[in-house]
Amino acid sequence: MAPGLYVTATPIGHARDVTLRALDVLKGCDVIAAEDTRVTSKLLAIYGIAKPLVAYNDHNAARERPRLLARLKSGQSVALVSDAGTPLVSDPGFKLVREAIAEDVHVEAIPGASALLTALVLAGLPSDRFLFAGFLPPRSGERRNALAELKSIPASLVFFESPNRLGESLADMADVLGARTAAVGRELTKLHEEIRRGTLATLASGYVDAETPRGEVTIVVGPPVDEAPDTARIDSLLRQALPFMPVRAAADLVAEALDTPRRAVYTRALELKAELDA
């Protein structure tokens, strides 16, 4: 096969989810750079593939990256794989791809399985716009700060999470993100695949005191819910303010006080002003 770096997706659980192109690459490359050679060896054994394996992960990347780049520049073909799913999606590999591009090495993606997309399509939540936020910080304070930064994003949010922190993370999400619907995917594509759907608070209560679940976990949280403004409260405040100030100033004041979109408050202020002047 042609020289270059082949970023190759592998199954996230079910071994038959590997693509035909991925098998061609794994069979035809000169060497496979694997996040964990033991994990990748099992997949290769299933399909009768014997190829040299080198470990490339967060712990040895600084040492191994120059060696892999030397192989690539000498004309070899290197398949980059993670333990499961698509490399670079919350997995090592970004710097290798970046430096390969900088060295004018051919880089090709071999698409396939992804826990992110699998969970998203099973969640039953809006998928036209979504943000993948990876793993949240392990400590609650830092995690809540990270969630606060994501709170106003008008999109579904997707997270990876450790099963050991699942209940705590869901509880923090319920507190910070509010009353949103969500889905928790576990052991996706495997024999014991599980999808739980509900509000963040309901999901949190189901995991906080339960036995630690097994397997990889993906959480999908629906986008912010547009809450209807409290029109009675808006009218009350506008009626108090309009006799003493211009319409725009009154609308700005009430919108700020109620944290309500200014345009809607201004439109209502014009209507009330007309009634008051009639």
Side-chain angles (χ1 to χ4, degrees):
M1 58 190 295
L5 178 63
Y6 293 81
V7 184
T8 307
T10 56
I12 60 174
H14 199 302
R16 290 182 65 83
D17 287 337
V18 69
T19 69
L20 296 177
R21 282 189 69 203
L23 290 176
D24 287 343
V25 168
L26 295 174
K27 292 175 183 176
C29 66
D30 293 307
V31 64
I32 299 171
E35 183 179 0
D36 187 328
T37 57
R38 296 166 298 180
V39 173
T40 301
S41 292
K42 294 177 183 178
L43 178 66
L44 298 182
I46 291 173
Y47 289 99
I49 299 172
K51 282 290 174 178
L53 284 163
V54 296
Y56 182 76
N57 50 52
D58 287 332
H59 304 292
N60 70 356
R63 181 184 73 244
E64 291 298 325
R65 191 160 52 249
R67 297 175 182 175
L68 289 172
L69 287 168
R71 286 176 177 267
L72 290 165
K73 288 190 287 185
S74 71
Q76 290 191 16
S77 54
V78 177
L80 175 67
V81 301
S82 63
D83 286 350
T86 302
L88 278 70
V89 180
S90 202
D91 279 313
F94 153 67
K95 291 182 179 179
L96 177 61
V97 170
R98 181 180 62 183
E99 293 188 23
I101 293 170
E103 295 287 348
D104 202 27
V105 169
H106 174 71
V107 177
E108 189 168 334
I110 310 299
S114 166
L116 156 63
L117 295 178
T118 302
L120 185 66
V121 300
L122 289 175
L125 295 168
S127 57
D128 56 331
R129 179 184 294 181
F130 63 90
L131 172 74
F132 175 61
F135 284 93
L136 289 166
R139 296 189 178 185
S140 180
E142 296 174 355
R143 184 165 58 236
R144 293 171 75 93
N145 288 338
L147 288 167
E149 294 178 357
L150 301 171
K151 182 177 181 179
S152 61
I153 294 175
S156 293
L157 305 175
V158 186
F159 305 92
F160 288 163
E161 188 52 278
S162 163
N164 297 319
R165 296 192 297 268
L166 181 55
E168 297 174 5
S169 290
L170 287 168
D172 283 342
M173 289 179 188
D175 286 343
V176 176
L177 301 179
R180 299 196 197 183
T181 53
V184 175
R186 188 178 63 81
E187 295 281 80
L188 295 174
T189 77
K190 296 181 181 179
L191 179 62
H192 300 292
E193 175 180 284
E194 177 186 68
I195 302 290
R196 293 192 189 181
R197 304 175 182 88
T199 65
L200 283 169
T202 300
L203 291 169
S205 65
Y207 283 108
V208 167
D209 296 322
E211 183 178 346
T212 300
R214 288 185 173 186
E216 303 294 329
V217 175
T218 307
I219 304 170
V220 184
V221 181
V225 178
D226 292 329
E227 297 182 0
D230 186 346
T231 54
R233 180 65 171 156
I234 291 172
D235 283 3
S236 175
L237 293 179
L238 284 174
R239 289 182 187 279
Q240 296 176 52
L242 284 170
F244 305 103
M245 61 183 68
V247 172
R248 184 168 295 281
D252 288 347
L253 180 66
V254 173
E256 181 70 25
L258 299 181
D259 192 22
T260 302
R262 280 177 165 75
R263 183 182 296 274
V265 178
Y266 180 68
T267 299
R268 184 56 181 154
L270 289 174
E271 294 171 354
L272 291 177
K273 179 64 174 174
E275 292 178 12
L276 293 172
D277 291 343

